[in-house]
Amino acid sequence: MSDPGTTIPTVEGLDGKGALRIAKDLAAEGRAAEARRWLHHVVDRSDDLATWSGAAKLLPRLLEAAPLSRSARVAVLGSSTTAQLATLLPLACARTGLHVEVYEAPYGQYRQEVLDPASALYAFDPDVVVLALHDGDVPLPLVSDDPATALADAARPIERLWELLGQRTRATVVQLNFAVPPEQPLGHLGPSVPGSRQRLLLELNLHLPAVAPPHVCFVDCAGLAASVGTRTWFDPRYWHLAKQAVAPRCLPLLSRHVGAVIGAALGLSRKALVLDLDNTLWGGVLGEDGLDGIRLGEGAEGEAFVAFQRYVTELQAKGVVAAICSKNDEHLVRDAFARHPAMVLDLEEVAVVAAGWDDKPAQLRRIASDLSLGLDALVFVDDNPVEREAVRQLVPEVDVIDLPSDPAGYVRALADYPYFATTRLTDEDRARGRQYRARAEAASALAEASSLEEFLDSLEMVATVEPVGPANLARVAQLVGKTNQFNLTSIRRTETELADLVAQPGVLAKAVRLRDRFDDHGLVGVLITRPVDDALEIDTWLMSCRVIGRTLEHAMLSRLARRAVDGGYTAINGTYSPTPKNGLVADLYPRLGFEPVGPPADDGTTRWRLAPSALSVRTHVRLDQLAADTGKAPA
Amino acid sequence: MIDPRLADIVKDVIGDDALELVEHTTAADVDGWDSLAHINIMVAVEEEFGVTFTSDQLGRFRNLGELQQYLAEQAS
């Protein structure tokens, strides 16, 4: 690239090496933020260890010049050589928007590091601990006489490590599960023999997640190894030479996935899949070929499109929100979904349908706005390389998945994309598509109502308040981890840390659910206060972006004020800590009648105070009194 | 003269595009060419040149020239 100042390099057709070259050129010109973005393409487009190594070497100075807003301390502990994983993880994590500092435990010392309370691991104070164990470290004979005991003996030391890490740190543990080597003396008999090592390793992979506490999540190395082939995953030469339990050539793949799971654990997964229609969900062009002319269902190509639609619906089932972004006449699109017999995707389950003649970057901005999501929550899928490139250049926050020219490869292209990762499957995840659709519908109801007040009343909103506890901790932790916009303090806590906080005397921790005439939005708000002298200090106050603008915050504060008065507190204190994404609530406290306490801090943090008896706000949300009075959710 | 493909691998792994690489360059001549970097280089060479080294070869080449000569023999 001779003159990057005037030529905009295109991503289409570029490999990881090319992306690294461009990143280096941009870095040399001092364009650190752009250079960092090109390193994302290295992560996406390369499985080559040298390219990844080069990109990882370039990353630190780019992060210094163009910092990321989220950061985390990641400890890597392993039963084999983890040096490359530790080196590549910052690159893999930067791809998800996370700046990580890595601590690598000394070779083979993972048990000692966890057991010794004075170890360097604990001094490092990790947010995430990656436990990279491998099959050879699991003490199993070829055939055990007592399979149940052998399994328990293999699992217990690992469970003990989790337990100690849970007691001594606030870290999320990312546990790598066990790939099973292809060389098995028992051959076909292996899985049939109850005490065989082969079978017990498989059982261990099932047993560990079943007994894992909430602060542990998994990377499915067995699945990754199967996808590349265990003969590639295991390379005895590098094991004998340098104790590499995973073949070095697979380390970029492993790092990419560990990075995605770390990102998911910290709430940085992508949320919405935005789909083109013509030649993406079916073959042909609806506007030209007509309903009977598009290829869907019949023939190899038609079946491939059906398979792709089915995969999309299965992603929806795990909580990915689907939206449509197509240059088409909307009535033709709706007709096709309603009438085509082979259509799998249900338009009712699609949150937003943007079908029109605006350019796709503009449609994507509208979709993000309708869904109240950031552009960095969207993933765009289109068969047309020109559209993909336009989106990459004009809305670079949106992730773009390249589809191959053959639709038979679409499912794999989507499945290989790792940033829809989730670490838990909650009821809210499963219902999310319907909820986002309801939100988009409510947005259009707003267009019809003559006043905002009238609109809000027409929603017939009812909130129920419940204490934060074991029943809702997973969802509360998810909100605490990923809520960016309506979040006053943006204090991120794991499930364990939340459980500890809630157990402290005097702490009031409430979660709120909201339903309206369109939908039940589920658990969408969290408000946690601590007593400080004669005041209640708001430690955490956040709301899901799904329900912003509903006056739910007024209802939450009203209820807190009542509790404060009943408890004899004379003030409610709040802090607003600015982040790049929470400008929405910068003036929340003054709007609610809080008085400023002192001038803003250098970082923009402001402190506020309210006499609870003086609160005067109007809400359009009815509090479910039964639930509010007993503090329990209704049956 | 070192094959640019080979030179690029070493430069990427070491993270220094300004490295002067010649045929008698050894690991000891290059800052950062430790045992880990060595493995990364050999893995990358295997991928780039489509060769598979034996366990013995992985540690045997004395300098870049020897490695390059071996690769040339494999290609011919």
Side-chain angles (χ1 to χ4, degrees), chain A residues 428 431-440 519-522 546:
Chain A
E428 271 78 7
R432 187 169 298 138
R434 194 161 37 77
Q435 289 160 350
Y436 273 83
R437 180 181 158 79
R439 189 163 83 197
D519 202 13
D520 183 345
H521 298 275
R546 292 178 214 169

Side-chain angles (χ1 to χ4, degrees), chain A residues 17 20 24 47-51 53-55 57 81 83-84 87 235-238 240-242 244 248-249 251, chain B residues 8-9 11-15 17 32 36 38-44 46-48 51-55 58-59:
Chain A
K17 283 194 177 79
L20 176 58
K24 283 180 176 174
D47 279 316
D48 176 63
L49 185 59
T51 310
S53 302
K57 288 251 157 80
T81 301
Q84 288 103 328
T87 310
D235 188 333
R237 296 171 306 149
Y238 289 101
H240 298 313
L241 181 71
Q244 305 269 350
R249 76 181 52 184
L251 290 170
Chain B
D8 280 351
I9 286 171
K11 289 173 182 177
D12 274 345
V13 170
I14 304 298
D17 285 342
L36 178 73
H38 182 71
I39 286 174
N40 292 353
I41 288 168
M42 296 307 269
V43 171
E46 288 190 330
E47 295 272 302
E48 178 71 33
V51 295
T52 304
F53 297 117
T54 64
S55 298
L58 284 172

Side-chain angles (χ1 to χ4, degrees), chain A residues 320-381:
Chain A
V320 174
V321 174
I324 282 170
C325 173
S326 167
K327 288 178 179 168
N328 248 313
D329 284 321
E330 187 170 340
H331 73 275
L332 289 181
V333 170
R334 293 197 177 274
D335 185 54
F337 274 93
R339 288 180 41 219
H340 199 290
M343 198 70 74
V344 176
L345 194 65
D346 180 358
L347 210 56
E348 294 288 309
E349 298 291 328
V350 171
V352 177
V353 178
W357 300 98
D358 288 340
D359 61 82
K360 297 215 167 179
Q363 290 191 8
L364 283 162
R365 287 198 187 87
R366 204 197 98 203
I367 289 168
S369 147
D370 280 2
L371 294 173
S372 308
L373 288 173
L375 285 165
D376 60 3
L378 304 188
V379 179
F380 177 63
V381 176

Side-chain angles (χ1 to χ4, degrees), chain A residues 27 76 95 108 139 153 176 206 237 293 325 380 411 456 588 600:
Chain A
V76 178
R95 170 66 179 83
D153 287 349
L176 275 54
L206 302 177
R237 296 171 306 149
C325 173
F380 177 63
V411 169
L456 290 171
L588 178 76

Side-chain angles (χ1 to χ4, degrees), chain A residues 117-161:
Chain A
S119 70
L121 168 69
Y122 295 118
F124 177 69
D125 187 23
D127 300 302
V128 175
V129 176
V130 178
L131 270 181
L133 310 186
H134 76 290
D135 65 289
D137 196 57
V138 182
L140 290 170
L142 178 65
V143 179
S144 163
D145 297 337
D146 181 353
T149 305
L151 180 65
D153 287 349
R156 207 173 299 120
I158 299 170
E159 293 171 46
R160 178 68 183 144
L161 297 180

